[in-house]
Amino acid sequence: MSFYDDRILPHLVNIACSSRPTRKQREKVVPLAEGEVLEIGFGSGLNLPFYDTLKIHKIWALEPSEGMRRKAAPVVEGSGINVEFIDLPGESIPLEPNSVDTVLITYSLCTIPDPVAALDGTRRVLKPGGRLIFCEHGIAPDENVRRWQRRLNPAWSYVAGGCNMDRNIPDLLVSNGFELAVDERAYIPGLKVLSYNYWGTARAAS
Ligand SMILES: C[S@@+](CC[C@H](N)C(=O)[O-])C[C@H]1O[C@@H](n2cnc3c(N)ncnc32)[C@H](O)[C@@H]1O
């Protein structure tokens, strides 16, 4: 891993993901988590303050980047929540089938190199009736914004740890075996190419 990825990127990602609009998004989705939770792409632990601690009993914090886990460690320690790190990518979830009640993914499906594999794994570990809770940025509805997303994506992805501006999040979920139960979309304040958000809940399709 390069010095940039290990030492600089975690701080940049933490700052970028701490904005007021993203905090407001976290407020909407994170408290929905219940029971045993798997968070994919745990990052620096920015979702931790938003969990309803009366509803959850454990969080598996899957995060492949050592730099991000280092950044998250003090947040985890101060949270009083039972958090266990998994130092693997979302494409290789090591948990038992049907073992978690909730999978939470926020602003990580944009970055995971093989989101299809990560979603396959998500379906595998969710208990029957368990929920995927998501909040992501992705492809914008307006063609002029999409054009800029396509133009800027290669350079952006290079500096932003593999993040993609233009993934179609609902399509990705539905074409990989999920039914959307809550499906919300809107621009949140910020650069238009990065601020079209998709959030909601989904269950494995029957
Ligand atoms: C933009 S950050 C979001 C972090 C956190 N979910 C949040 O909402 O603040 C994307 C995260 O995905 C992680 N990531 C990168 N590749 C991944 C993979 N293959 N599987 C799981 N997470 C990955 C990165 O290390 C980073 O922590």
Side-chain angles (χ1 to χ4, degrees):
M1 182 175 278
S2 68
F3 181 80
Y4 175 76
D5 284 342
D6 186 45
R7 297 283 162 175
I8 299 177
L9 191 61
H11 299 290
L12 298 181
V13 169
N14 181 57
I15 292 166
C17 291
S18 301
S19 69
R20 198 177 147 80
T22 59
R23 282 207 309 275
K24 280 183 166 287
Q25 291 299 98
R26 295 178 199 283
E27 259 171 39
K28 294 175 192 167
V29 295
V30 181
L32 301 175
E34 54 195 356
E36 187 150 333
V37 180
L38 166 64
E39 195 178 322
I40 297 181
F42 187 74
S44 52
L46 290 171
N47 285 328
L48 271 185
F50 299 98
Y51 279 100
D52 179 344
T53 51
L54 296 176
K55 283 167 55 184
I56 58 161
H57 47 82
K58 175 171 185 142
I59 302 171
W60 294 99
L62 183 147
E63 174 51 62
S65 154
E66 193 184 341
M68 294 305 302
R69 292 197 305 276
R70 204 183 303 123
K71 188 106 188 109
V75 184
V76 167
E77 223 168 278
S79 73
I81 300 176
N82 177 10
V83 178
E84 193 164 333
F85 281 105
I86 300 174
D87 59 356
L88 288 173
E91 293 91 336
S92 329
I93 304 167
L95 303 180
E96 293 295 316
N98 307 330
S99 60
V100 301
D101 302 283
T102 304
V103 173
L104 177 71
I105 310 185
T106 62
Y107 304 112
S108 293
L109 270 179
C110 52
T111 300
I112 295 174
D114 187 348
V116 172
L119 291 173
D120 283 351
T122 296
R123 278 202 325 281
R124 183 182 64 79
V125 298
L126 270 177
K127 290 179 187 170
R131 279 197 302 187
L132 167 63
I133 298 169
F134 62 94
C135 180
E136 296 286 333
H137 68 93
I139 193 160
D142 312 290
E143 187 45 42
N144 62 329
V145 181
R146 285 183 182 209
R147 208 172 307 122
W148 278 105
Q149 288 181 316
R150 284 194 292 269
R151 272 186 202 142
L152 295 173
N153 199 54
W156 170 250
S157 189
Y158 185 73
V159 294
C163 173
N164 291 279
M165 290 178 166
D166 57 354
R167 286 196 173 158
N168 189 322
I169 302 300
D171 271 12
L172 204 50
L173 296 177
V174 170
S175 61
N176 287 288
F178 283 95
E179 276 169 5
L180 300 178
V182 178
D183 175 7
E184 309 252 27
R185 326 164 167 206
Y187 285 105
I188 65 169
L191 279 176
K192 279 204 143 183
V193 284
L194 283 171
S195 64
Y196 196 71
N197 270 219
Y198 295 90
W199 69 99
T201 67
R203 292 187 198 276
S206 40

